[in-house]
Amino acid sequence: MTDLHVVILAAGKGTRMKSAMPKVLHPLAGRPLIEHVLSTVDALKTASTVLVVGHGANQVKAALAHRPNLQYVVQSPQLGTGHALQQAEPALKGKKGNVLVLYADVPLLEASTLQRLVETHRNAKAAATVLTAELVDPYGYGRIVRDAGGRIERIVEERDASSAQRAIREINSGIYALSMKPLFEHLNRLAADNAQEEYYLTDLIAMLRQSDLRVETLCLDSAGELRGVNSRLDLADLSQEVRQRKNRLLMMSGVTLEDPATTYVDAAVTVGEDTVLGPGVRLEGRTTIGEGCRIHAGCRLTNATVEDNVVVLDYSVIVESSVGTGAQIGPLAHIRPQSVVGAAARVGNFVELKKTTLGKGSKANHLAYLGDAKIGEGVNIGAGTITCNYDGVDKHQTVIEDGVFIGSDSQLIAPVTIGKDAYVGAGSSITRDVPAGALAIARGQQVVKPDWATRKKAERRPAKGDH
Ligand code: UD1
Ligand code: CA
């Protein structure tokens, strides 16, 4: 929509959050609150987006640095919603068309609803179109006051309303489509003569009507989409709503959720058909999971790429790493960033990988730390193997070529290379490269002293009567 310009109001303090962090940065279903409305706006493909910031402006800007097309205007002090939109005027100067006013703390709003709002506005050639809804309990919202002909006349805030007006159940969502020209002809005339001594954007409606301009409404059947976040209780409620939406989509697309109530999947995550997610699974960020996988109870995957038919056993963590087809991870494995687990490889319990490639069919089944390592195909890493990658100052690489066997409880002191098909004897501390096909054993020689223990025991035999 090339003639549509968006202004998002996000300057408010969010007092009821009781937080040092700006309200709009609190995560809702894994993403900052503000990202929800921004991604709805993305779907509309609008001409420009202005964000009105105030409280915590620099923090908000820093958190949105990945969106270079956003324009910011700062509102300081914050003197009301009308005052907030006044600040956006310079950013919209010279632009034609319509302005869509949105709130940063109303995250459930759908793009299709906004599309309907803008269409209603255009078809009516209105100066303003207000998104409204009928509520059973309208307490706290601005009310839509209509004239004898049923046309919207003005909006009254709860605090300024008469008792008759308080009985009105049609509420103002605070979301409007506004025609640029009449908007900026009237916006500077707002006055702060109300209970809160603020410049109310809602007063614009009565002003437009007094100028004999057309004002329309679009009334929603259900107000679910209009719910706002004011406190951490709202944050939890709406998070649950967003989570449930995502879980329903997953189930409809062929994913089994053993316990949807405890399955937390971020919006951008994709999961293939016939994959089963166990209870307490969290899939975060840009994680993608293939088909036919099983992610067991309590696993967390963050920005992970998992191919088809992978099994991740209980309580494993995979972060910014990839796992190849048919591999098996866990239980209780920790795959840290920049790791690549090859197809059909196995990473067992209490194994930690960091910046490590484990080749196709290789196994590290028990109790190992593999960091800064490049491990080839068909390698067997014994229990308790440790890559000693850090000398206190720098990190060093360990290279383990195809077909190598590392005996249990070995330390590989990096930088070091174990050549193709070589063997490392159990309990070795390897400090130098091992050539291909060789056996390396690096441990203290065993000393056997016959009868030593037997003699010691005899010497210690207690005196008579002594227990
Ligand atoms: C507003 C509407 C009310 C409507 C309700 C819907 C006004 C006067 N009232 O009331 O009719 O029913 O929304 O939720 O508009 N903001 C700024 N700068 C300010 C003040 C607010 O940017 O100076 C931003 C806030 O960050 C927030 C939004 O505007 O995103 C709404 O502000 P808020 O104070 O919550 O308005 P309400 O009192 O809820
Ligand atoms: Ca509010």
Side-chain angles (χ1 to χ4, degrees):
M1 292 199 256
T2 50
D3 73 333
L4 188 65
H5 302 272
V6 174
V7 177
I8 302 172
L9 307 190
K13 188 160 188 294
T15 313
R16 280 169 284 175
M17 295 299 286
K18 304 205 168 135
S19 176
M21 178 160 69
K23 173 162 82 176
V24 296
L25 295 185
H26 278 261
L28 181 104
R31 283 191 297 172
L33 188 49
I34 179 83
E35 291 284 358
H36 291 263
V37 68
L38 287 172
S39 65
T40 307
V41 170
D42 288 344
L44 291 177
K45 303 205 187 321
T46 55
S48 70
T49 305
V50 176
L51 198 61
V52 182
V53 290
H55 189 77
N58 290 332
Q59 269 172 280
V60 174
K61 286 185 199 175
L64 294 173
H66 61 285
R67 289 178 169 274
N69 294 332
L70 276 182
Q71 280 178 276
Y72 297 93
V73 296
V74 178
Q75 184 200 17
S76 177
Q78 286 106 43
L79 302 178
T81 47
H83 181 252
L85 191 56
Q86 284 169 355
Q87 311 312 304
E89 185 171 357
L92 292 169
K93 207 144 215 124
K95 287 180 176 145
K96 289 196 174 59
N98 297 303
V99 180
L100 182 63
V101 176
L102 302 174
Y103 290 172
D105 57 1
V106 180
L108 303 185
L109 205 63
E110 296 196 33
S112 57
T113 303
L114 294 177
Q115 230 137 16
R116 275 171 60 207
L117 177 70
V118 173
E119 271 163 33
T120 307
H121 180 72
R122 281 196 187 131
N123 293 343
K125 296 197 166 49
T129 304
V130 185
L131 187 63
T132 71
E134 295 257 3
L135 296 194
V136 179
D137 175 16
Y139 178 79
Y141 286 95
R143 306 296 208 285
I144 305 297
V145 179
R146 292 182 181 269
D147 63 18
R151 305 210 62 86
I152 180 170
E153 194 172 63
R154 57 202 183 94
I155 300 172
V156 249
E157 291 306 293
E158 174 83 34
R159 300 178 203 230
D160 304 304
S162 65
S163 58
Q165 288 168 334
R166 283 190 182 141
I168 298 171
R169 286 178 28 202
E170 189 183 7
I171 61 100
N172 170 31
S173 68
I175 308 237
Y176 321 86
L178 305 167
S179 297
M180 198 81 74
K181 196 163 167 281
L183 167 63
F184 290 117
E185 281 167 4
H186 291 81
L187 193 60
N188 286 318
R189 295 194 224 149
L190 289 178
D193 51 358
N194 50 57
Q196 295 195 92
E197 299 186 335
E198 283 186 356
Y199 296 90
Y200 285 172
L201 182 53
T202 44
D203 290 344
L204 179 73
I205 300 307
M207 283 165 51
L208 293 172
R209 284 301 317 272
Q210 274 149 28
S211 300
D212 272 332
L213 291 164
R214 197 179 171 92
V215 180
E216 273 299 323
T217 54
L218 174 67
C219 184
L220 298 182
D221 302 331
S222 139
E225 275 181 60
L226 301 179
R227 288 161 69 194
V229 173
N230 290 314
S231 68
R232 296 186 200 236
L233 278 75
D234 296 331
L235 205 57
D237 281 353
L238 271 58
S239 280
Q240 195 182 33
E241 178 72 33
V242 173
R243 297 290 190 199
Q244 282 173 355
R245 272 191 201 174
K246 178 71 181 183
N247 286 352
R248 281 196 289 267
L249 286 174
L250 288 174
M251 290 187 276
M252 284 184 313
S253 71
V255 180
T256 294
L257 272 57
E258 289 179 336
D259 183 16
T262 63
T263 307
Y264 304 88
V265 183
D266 287 359
V269 170
T270 64
V271 185
E273 267 178 41
D274 288 324
T275 284
V276 179
L277 306 179
V281 166
R282 298 190 77 98
L283 305 178
E284 301 182 329
R286 296 175 309 281
T287 292
T288 67
I289 312 247
E291 297 183 358
C293 294
R294 260 200 96 99
I295 314 294
H296 285 262
C299 291
R300 174 167 67 89
L301 281 67
T302 306
N303 298 328
T305 302
V306 174
E307 291 177 2
D308 297 341
N309 302 316
V310 167
V311 176
V312 184
L313 293 169
D314 314 56
Y315 304 106
S316 296
V317 174
I318 304 177
V319 181
E320 280 155 35
S321 293
S322 67
V323 180
T325 307
Q328 183 173 312
I329 309 281
L332 295 149
H334 190 184
I335 315 288
R336 292 170 53 204
Q338 297 181 53
S339 294
V340 178
V341 176
R346 281 174 176 255
V347 176
N349 38 212
F350 307 108
V351 173
E352 175 180 347
L353 265 57
K354 191 224 66 173
K355 220 175 181 178
T356 284
T357 300
L358 187 65
K360 190 170 142 192
S362 291
K363 295 176 185 163
N365 274 334
H366 334 266
L367 300 158
Y369 172 63
L370 304 169
D372 302 294
K374 200 170 168 304
I375 302 168
E377 298 182 359
V379 169
N380 198 311
I381 305 282
T385 296
I386 291 175
T387 55
C388 308
N389 59 331
Y390 187 48
D391 59 13
V393 180
D394 295 311
K395 298 281 169 68
H396 301 283
Q397 249 223 332
T398 300
V399 177
I400 301 174
E401 294 178 355
D402 294 349
V404 164
F405 180 95
I406 308 284
S408 294
D409 197 26
S410 293
Q411 300 99 56
L412 307 170
I413 299 170
V416 69
T417 296
I418 316 295
K420 191 168 186 292
D421 294 327
Y423 259 66
V424 169
S428 291
S429 292
I430 300 294
T431 53
R432 283 178 289 129
D433 289 354
V434 178
L439 166 66
I441 304 176
R443 62 188 179 217
Q445 288 292 312
Q446 183 167 327
V447 175
V448 176
K449 300 189 173 177
D451 295 329
W452 184 92
T454 316
R455 268 188 281 113
K456 280 282 171 200
K457 199 171 175 187
E459 282 167 24
R460 276 202 311 266
R461 189 153 291 152
K464 253 190 198 140
D466 186 358
H467 294 280

